[in-house]
Every structure is written in C-alpha cells, then in structure tokens.
Amino acid sequence: MNQITYVIWQEEEGWVSKCLTTGVTSCGDTQEEAIKNLKEALELYLEDQPEANYKRDHIQFGSFSVHA
C-alpha cells in the first residue's frame, strides 16, 4: 500500500495543497476545495504514471499539525 501525505497552507489568493509523495500541487478557495482538487490532480497524475506503481484504490490522505 502506498500512503499519500499532503501539506496545505493559506495564501492571499486561497489555499494551496501539495502531495509530499509525488510533488503534485493544487489549490482552492477553501481548505476542502484545495484537498478535493489535489485528489483529482493526483488521480490524473497517477493515470499517466503507471511506472510509479501506485494504485488509486490504495491512496490515503491525511494531515496533522505541529506546534513549533
């Protein structure tokens, strides 16, 4: 199973989401939209990357906060 980890942050124009595994990046007006758009972008990316050995049914998404 391949786990996909992402980071999300706010900029002036909206929210940016980036997959730390593949480098695929997306954005949205809200956090939810940025994550949804990232999922869609990853599906398209992985369809074109068969050698990456990712299966779409094994993609997991999540996040956590670090207080530093």
Side-chain angles (χ1 to χ4, degrees):
M1 179 181 296
N2 297 304
Q3 184 168 351
I4 303 298
T5 305
Y6 67 87
V7 62
I8 185 168
W9 66 92
Q10 188 173 22
E11 295 190 353
E12 288 184 28
E13 303 83 24
W15 289 87
V16 178
S17 53
K18 180 176 183 177
C19 173
L20 300 177
T21 306
T22 62
V24 172
T25 304
S26 192
C27 61
D29 292 331
T30 65
Q31 291 180 42
E32 294 79 13
E33 183 179 23
I35 293 167
K36 176 182 159 284
N37 291 342
L38 179 61
K39 288 179 183 180
E40 292 174 2
L42 279 168
E43 288 178 352
L44 292 171
Y45 172 82
L46 295 174
E47 282 179 2
D48 291 338
Q49 301 294 321
E51 69 277 0
N53 197 25
Y54 291 102
K55 295 181 179 178
R56 290 195 300 168
D57 57 343
H58 291 148
I59 297 175
Q60 297 180 5
F61 296 87
S63 67
F64 62 87
S65 299
V66 175
H67 298 282

